[in-house]
Amino acid sequence: MIENSKGIKIVIVVFSILLILTAGVAAFDNIDKNRLHLPVNGSVGMIHISWMTPDFEELVDRSDLIIVGTVSDKYGAWNTEDGSKPPRYALVSTGISTYYEISGLEVLKGSAETVTVRAPGGTTGGYTTTAEPMQELEVGDTVLLFLTNNYDSEGNPITWYHIGFPTVFIKNGDGLFENEFYGEISIEEVEKEIENSKE
């Protein structure tokens, strides 16, 4: 009877250990499956931005560079140091930006020979980050941009400028530049305001 009881206890202990091991393997398998089911392609997040919209005089005054130019190239890149795809667990937290190269520059304020601007949201390698509200530019658009300098972690100027919805004006069919916040404006009005800001 005692021997029987010992045998039953051993079977119960062995069975319990097997159950625990099976549950552990299942849990790790589930974690692994969840890790693998992060998006292979498709949406990796949405950003909603509350833009600050200063009055037009302040926008002109605080801009380091004001230019007119044409969008000559457009491409998306991950927000990593080298623009490459991050590991899967960081896809959503890293996000994507769109870069626009601007050519045929007419500089109204500041100094620049080449300009690349960066906007939140974009697509690269089948992945997309959506940003709202954001005006998407297309190659061939003529734009008026109000830009501020950007610096790296060591304080050195970097080659791209970050653009927000209120700082981008697109040329319309009437030859004026417009955006949702400030409406239509001419180059002459901008130049006049730049002169006023020097006084």
Side-chain angles (χ1 to χ4, degrees):
M1 192 78 166
I2 293 172
E3 298 262 334
N4 249 356
S5 159
K6 264 187 184 175
I8 290 172
K9 284 181 183 174
I10 290 171
V11 169
I12 290 171
V13 168
V14 169
F15 183 71
S16 298
I17 290 170
L18 285 173
L19 273 177
I20 291 167
L21 287 173
T22 304
V25 169
F28 282 114
D29 188 48
N30 194 34
I31 288 168
D32 197 44
K33 281 182 181 171
N34 284 338
R35 188 182 302 130
L36 293 174
H37 282 92
L38 282 167
V40 174
N41 280 306
S43 174
V44 288
M46 203 267 258
I47 309 163
H48 187 82
I49 306 162
S50 297
W51 296 111
M52 188 185 102
T53 53
D55 61 34
F56 188 70
E57 293 77 13
E58 186 183 345
L59 178 66
V60 169
D61 189 51
R62 71 180 194 161
S63 296
D64 301 304
L65 182 65
I66 302 174
I67 61 165
V68 175
T70 302
V71 178
S72 56
D73 195 13
K74 168 185 177 179
Y75 55 91
W78 290 97
N79 294 328
T80 53
E81 199 169 307
D82 62 357
S84 63
K85 180 182 165 190
R88 281 208 182 171
Y89 63 81
L91 290 177
V92 175
S93 59
T94 302
I96 298 166
S97 289
T98 299
Y99 290 79
Y100 300 98
E101 291 181 11
I102 311 298
S103 62
L105 297 185
E106 178 185 351
V107 179
L108 305 179
K109 179 183 178 182
S111 175
E113 291 181 16
T114 61
V115 170
T116 299
V117 295
R118 182 173 94 164
T123 299
T124 184
Y127 294 89
T128 298
T129 299
T130 306
E132 294 181 357
M134 194 64 225
Q135 176 69 55
E136 190 169 352
L137 304 177
E138 300 300 337
V139 172
D141 283 347
T142 301
V143 292
L144 166 65
L145 303 175
F146 294 78
L147 306 170
T148 52
N149 289 326
N150 284 277
Y151 299 89
D152 65 17
S153 58
E154 295 170 2
N156 302 308
I158 52 182
T159 56
W160 55 263
Y161 294 85
H162 190 85
I163 57 171
F165 201 26
T167 63
V168 178
F169 292 69
I170 301 176
K171 192 172 189 178
N172 63 25
D174 297 326
L176 298 172
F177 292 86
E178 67 177 315
N179 79 12
E180 185 180 318
F181 294 98
Y182 299 101
E184 293 183 331
I185 193 157
S186 67
I187 296 296
E188 293 72 30
E189 289 172 287
V190 176
E191 289 173 331
K192 184 177 177 184
E193 193 51 52
I194 291 169
E195 282 304 312
N196 291 342
S197 70
K198 293 177 184 175
E199 296 173 0

